[in-house]
Amino acid sequence: MLQIIKLDWSTIKYSQKRIFIILPCVFLAGYISSIYVVPTSAILFFLFSLNLYAVEEKGDLNRFYLTLPVTRNTIVTGRYCLSLFMVFGGIAAGIILMPITNLVSFSKWYPDLKWMITIVAFSLFVCALFYFFMYPILFKLGYQRGKFWGFYLPAVLLGSIYIAFLEYASLPGKETLITDLLIYASEHLILICGGMLFLTFALLVASYLLSLHFYIRREF
Amino acid sequence: MDNAIEVRGLCKQYSGFALNDINFCVPEGFCCGLVGPNGAGKTTILKAMTGMIKADSGEIYLLNRPCDAPVREELGILFDQPYFQEDWTPLNIERSIKPFYRNWDTAIYQDLLDRFSLDPRKKFKKFSNGMKQKLAMAVHLSHKSKLLLLDEPTSGLDPAARDEMLDLMREYLLKEGRTILFSTHITSDLEHLADFIVYISHGNLIFSGEKEEFTDSYCIVRGRKIPEKKRKDAIGLREYSSGFECLMELSKVGGLPKDAVTERAAIHDVIVFMERRQNNASDYKT
């Protein structure tokens, strides 16, 4: 498993430097409000993990993997693991960047552990939605054939909902909406965060099983 | 003697093409050529062997094991071009592939890179086709594969590079217990290298057996006019104003006119005449 994760990572060798573009983008989001830092970082790192699909057809990566002594099951599992590592890395980077962005942010925010847990749970939930809508399609069709249904469409739809929500939350009279939601979530931590984490887990498992189902039947 | 490859009842259906009940085996230590015209099903068979496609039915055993992931540790698989990332150097390739093979030998790999004059720091995309094939062979030799499955390994190579590739394949076979199955439509490669031949046409197995058996069973017949009663025995009959030529099974050459001459058929001749027969038959059908 570790071998396939390493191999996946080495295949995106020339995309790895893009990570350094993500961090300024995250910082920019934090400039508006540091609440946005962790979700933005998690989502951008998730999107970065899609480089694995973008390179796979250019270099016939799937066929290359199938010449190696690894099962398709391992290939799918390895891809999920590496991608999840990236998302967790994104969340960790967001948590580190948050207090820094808070120094320069328009909207000052003083993190509380319960709020932080809520934000992390929300970030994971959003990423799980991406996993559910993107990965099975990309595993079934590959990047070239699947990029409309498995990348652009979910990215635009989920991105639009996310931005629309942020815009709505910045309307006059709604300035405290996010804070109110965070307060509510922190007061009902088990219900809200537990629920989000449960949904995240369910979406990830469903996404993984669908991806496995499609990839095992895919022909190259 | 154990079989390195056993294919039993392999079937695969696509729209417009079907691989029908393919059965053949290749004993350990020999080289087998998988031959047939373009679109005959050679690559489909190799893909089924490597698990890139799923057969509709049938069984494939490689090195006496089902053809799944564990057996690939002892396989060298090479389709027209190695599937290495364009930006990888031979050093990157070793670093990436080595952990998958318990028998990987870095010393052998380094030796082969030296021998083939492959710069370990040069990007894969900058190598010529011949160099790429050599690099792939270096990889397969370094993990001590026991069976090579090669899809048209010499196509697209200039004559010198092709000759080197054939030499490499010959050298690979020197060590006991190593087997090669390679598809090709360059029949001279088969003459030089193959011990066995599997001949596929339009998804059907036409012949599978020893090379000599393939060529020694047939002869080319040329003459002025073919007798009516011999027409049914003529394979790929072609008639000109000056005479005729066809392929015929050796056992059926009796009864030909005195002016008819027979000559030994090469692999190329057998395939060309067989294909002509197939095409004539489909012409009549249409």
Side-chain angles (χ1 to χ4, degrees), chain B residues 11 22 40 56 95 171 257 265 277:
Chain B
C11 295
I22 304 293
D56 296 337
R95 214 171 296 137
E171 203 181 309
R277 176 172 68 177

Side-chain angles (χ1 to χ4, degrees), chain A residues 114-205:
Chain A
K114 283 182 178 176
W115 285 26
M116 189 62 97
I117 291 169
T118 309
I119 287 172
V120 169
F122 173 75
S123 306
L124 285 170
F125 175 67
V126 173
C127 287
L129 283 171
F130 278 114
Y131 276 108
F132 183 75
F133 287 112
M134 289 183 176
Y135 266 45
I137 294 172
L138 293 173
F139 268 113
K140 183 180 167 68
L141 300 173
Y143 185 73
Q144 282 307 318
R145 285 173 60 214
K147 67 183 170 191
F148 176 74
W149 296 105
F151 177 56
Y152 292 125
L153 194 67
V156 168
L157 279 177
L158 293 174
S160 304
I161 293 168
Y162 183 59
I163 290 166
F165 173 73
L166 295 184
E167 286 298 317
Y168 179 74
S170 62
L171 289 175
K174 302 287 178 194
E175 295 91 344
T176 59
L177 179 67
I178 293 176
T179 319
D180 294 343
L181 288 172
L182 281 169
I183 292 168
Y184 181 81
S186 59
E187 283 169 358
H188 304 85
L189 200 65
I190 307 281
L191 179 70
I192 303 296
C193 294
M196 277 197 290
L197 288 175
F198 174 77
L199 282 174
T200 299
F201 181 74
L203 284 167
L204 278 174
V205 169

Side-chain angles (χ1 to χ4, degrees), chain B residues 86-145:
Chain B
E86 290 196 329
D87 291 317
W88 279 357
T89 64
L91 287 179
N92 294 142
I93 290 170
E94 189 195 13
R95 214 171 296 137
S96 305
I97 290 178
K98 189 179 163 181
F100 291 94
Y101 296 102
R102 272 173 293 178
N103 292 332
W104 183 273
D105 191 326
T106 300
I108 292 180
Y109 186 67
Q110 298 295 342
D111 280 353
L112 289 168
L113 291 185
D114 284 347
R115 194 182 129 193
F116 301 153
S117 307
L118 296 167
D119 180 353
R121 290 189 168 74
K122 189 171 172 178
K123 286 184 181 174
F124 179 69
K125 64 182 172 192
K126 294 191 175 160
F127 286 118
S128 67
N129 284 348
M131 299 290 243
K132 285 176 180 174
Q133 300 287 60
K134 282 185 193 170
L135 180 56
M137 284 300 276
V139 168
H140 297 318
L141 292 170
S142 304
H143 72 76
K144 298 173 185 163
S145 60

Side-chain angles (χ1 to χ4, degrees), chain A residues 25-193:
Chain A
C25 295
V26 173
F27 198 84
L28 205 68
Y31 192 63
I32 302 163
S33 169
S34 48
I35 291 175
Y36 305 151
V37 169
V38 175
T40 308
S41 180
I43 291 166
L44 289 179
F45 270 84
F46 167 80
L47 294 176
F48 173 74
S49 78
L50 294 176
N51 276 305
L52 292 165
Y53 294 93
V55 295
E56 77 177 7
E57 279 164 38
K58 196 179 157 202
D60 256 331
L61 205 60
N62 287 303
R63 287 193 178 127
F64 171 60
Y65 284 179
L66 292 175
T67 65
L68 299 172
V70 287
T71 61
R72 293 188 183 213
N73 202 324
T74 310
I75 296 169
V76 175
T77 312
R79 186 76 51 92
Y80 269 83
C81 286
L82 180 57
S83 175
L84 282 169
F85 286 149
M86 289 183 193
V87 169
F88 289 130
I91 290 173
I95 292 170
I96 294 165
L97 277 176
M98 238 170 114
I100 303 166
T101 56
N102 209 26
L103 298 172
V104 292
S105 160
F106 284 131
S107 165
K108 301 284 180 207
W109 186 64
Y110 302 95
D112 164 85
L113 183 64
K114 283 182 178 176
W115 285 26
M116 189 62 97
I117 291 169
T118 309
I119 287 172
V120 169
F122 173 75
S123 306
L124 285 170
F125 175 67
V126 173
C127 287
L129 283 171
F130 278 114
Y131 276 108
F132 183 75
F133 287 112
M134 289 183 176
Y135 266 45
I137 294 172
L138 293 173
F139 268 113
K140 183 180 167 68
L141 300 173
Y143 185 73
Q144 282 307 318
R145 285 173 60 214
K147 67 183 170 191
F148 176 74
W149 296 105
F151 177 56
Y152 292 125
L153 194 67
V156 168
L157 279 177
L158 293 174
S160 304
I161 293 168
Y162 183 59
I163 290 166
F165 173 73
L166 295 184
E167 286 298 317
Y168 179 74
S170 62
L171 289 175
K174 302 287 178 194
E175 295 91 344
T176 59
L177 179 67
I178 293 176
T179 319
D180 294 343
L181 288 172
L182 281 169
I183 292 168
Y184 181 81
S186 59
E187 283 169 358
H188 304 85
L189 200 65
I190 307 281
L191 179 70
I192 303 296
C193 294

